[in-house]
Amino acid sequence: MEQMHTREEKMAAFGRLLDVMDRLRVECPWDRKQTNESLRPNTIEEAYELSDAILQDDSYEICKELGDVLLHIVFYSRIGEEKGQFDVADVCNKLCDKMIFRHPHVYGDVVAKSAEEVLDNWEQIKQREKGGNKTVLGGVPQSLPSVIKAYRIQDKARHVGFDWEDKQEVWKKVREEIDELEAELRREDKERSEQELGDFLFAVINAARLYHLNPDNALEQTNKKFIRRFNYIEQHSIKLGKPLTEMTLDEMEALWEEAKNREKQ
């Protein structure tokens, strides 16, 4: 573990970053030509790379990827400063003002004894903020991945009381949706089947939320598990000198089971 820095050292490090950004923006041909629009795809990629590092619980990579995300924050702030719109101090101050306003249980006289109460207060405060979201679901970014978006939509609805009173009731909805999906599949109606598939997935995500499970994390764990086991099959097909396309399903399933058993050891 690296030695932790003093507050003065942290402030100096942030100042150094600003100095580096200022110089690159002037002297580097690539950095000089960047705009908000050109940076946006890279920012999204950096966020996903940070997400990967977090999922791997790799502290070195998390630190590195946080730096990349921070670079983008400073970059956008520098562009805003050049346009006379805002600078990094405005970004920091607006964030501090928002956090103080949304934490009246810390900076005010509101009482919140649990994390759940904090979240409920948070959503109510956001609705009252000047320039805040005009609707309950207005703050959900349209570009969020579908699984995360569904979870956030459901969670925001919950904060205003639109939720199952008994979480076990959600399973009736899950079964209802899969029955409707199967019915449309039997009719071979592709458009309706896709709609019903969406309803089924939404219901499953709702169930996960009610049981305090993260569906995006869960699906990613399964993705990794599938990749790991399929790679095992592929590696053994190479050892056997037999391409996957020439293996029977039974042969591949046997190797799949081997991979599963190795994971249990």
Side-chain angles (χ1 to χ4, degrees):
M1 179 177 179
E2 294 187 10
Q3 181 180 357
M4 296 297 100
H5 298 89
T6 65
R7 184 177 182 82
E8 290 73 18
E9 288 171 330
K10 294 172 185 176
M11 297 294 289
F14 189 67
R16 183 186 178 205
L17 172 59
L18 296 181
D19 290 340
V20 169
M21 183 73 259
D22 288 346
R23 183 170 181 180
L24 292 178
R25 185 65 173 167
V26 173
E27 298 183 24
C28 174
W30 186 89
D31 289 280
R32 192 167 54 236
K33 70 179 290 187
Q34 298 312 304
T35 64
N36 287 337
E37 292 73 20
S38 68
L39 283 175
R40 179 180 172 274
N42 292 344
T43 306
I44 295 170
E45 182 178 342
E46 295 298 352
Y48 276 108
E49 289 179 358
L50 173 59
S51 176
D52 285 346
I54 292 170
L55 288 172
Q56 294 162 12
D57 195 24
D58 186 326
S59 60
Y60 175 83
E61 287 297 318
I62 291 173
C63 180
K64 182 169 73 70
E65 297 303 339
L66 280 171
D68 291 343
V69 172
L70 179 57
L71 170 63
H72 280 245
I73 294 170
V74 171
F75 212 144
Y76 288 116
S77 299
R78 169 65 196 236
I79 293 172
E81 183 176 358
E82 293 169 359
K83 293 180 176 180
Q85 298 169 336
F86 61 87
D87 62 19
V88 73
D90 295 314
V91 173
C92 293
N93 285 326
K94 285 182 182 294
L95 174 59
C96 290
D97 291 343
K98 179 172 68 175
M99 297 304 287
I100 290 170
F101 183 71
R102 292 188 186 178
H103 287 78
H105 53 287
V106 176
Y107 293 96
D109 54 7
V110 173
V111 176
K113 297 181 179 179
S114 68
E116 192 70 18
E117 290 180 13
V118 171
L119 286 175
D120 288 338
N121 288 339
W122 182 280
E123 291 297 331
Q124 293 171 20
I125 291 169
K126 285 175 70 174
Q127 290 293 308
R128 300 199 303 266
E129 279 179 337
K130 182 180 179 181
N133 301 323
K134 300 297 187 289
T135 64
V136 173
L137 303 181
V140 180
Q142 291 299 308
S143 57
L144 272 181
S146 297
V147 172
I148 299 174
K149 185 192 290 187
Y151 190 98
R152 293 294 293 134
I153 288 169
Q154 296 162 2
D155 197 47
K156 283 184 175 290
R158 174 186 68 82
H159 285 293
V160 295
F162 191 72
D163 203 4
W164 300 90
E165 292 184 359
D166 181 357
K167 65 182 180 182
Q168 294 184 1
E169 291 295 311
V170 74
W171 297 114
K172 292 181 181 178
K173 186 63 175 175
V174 171
R175 295 185 186 97
E176 173 190 323
E177 296 297 351
I178 197 169
D179 287 343
E180 292 177 0
L181 171 59
E182 289 178 340
E184 294 302 334
L185 288 171
R186 284 193 293 271
R187 294 189 186 98
E188 298 185 351
D189 186 327
K190 185 175 180 180
E191 183 176 346
R192 287 291 303 165
S193 294
E194 192 168 84
Q195 292 175 12
E196 294 300 339
L197 175 60
D199 291 346
F200 169 64
L201 293 173
F202 194 85
V204 171
I205 292 168
N206 218 350
R209 178 185 60 82
L210 289 165
Y211 283 86
H212 306 292
L213 301 173
N214 186 309
D216 189 63
N217 288 348
L219 183 58
E220 182 57 21
Q221 289 176 30
T222 298
N223 287 340
K224 288 183 176 180
K225 181 168 58 179
F226 185 94
I227 291 170
R228 190 169 57 247
R229 293 176 182 176
F230 193 84
N231 284 345
Y232 181 88
I233 296 174
E234 189 170 20
Q235 289 163 5
H236 278 69
S237 74
I238 294 172
K239 290 179 181 178
L240 295 170
K242 191 173 187 179
L244 286 173
T245 53
E246 295 180 9
M247 295 184 74
T248 66
L249 181 58
D250 287 340
E251 289 173 325
M252 286 191 282
E253 285 184 342
L255 289 170
W256 180 276
E257 289 300 319
E258 280 185 23
K260 283 179 62 174
N261 291 333
R262 286 171 62 90
E263 291 173 3
K264 296 176 183 178
Q265 295 175 359

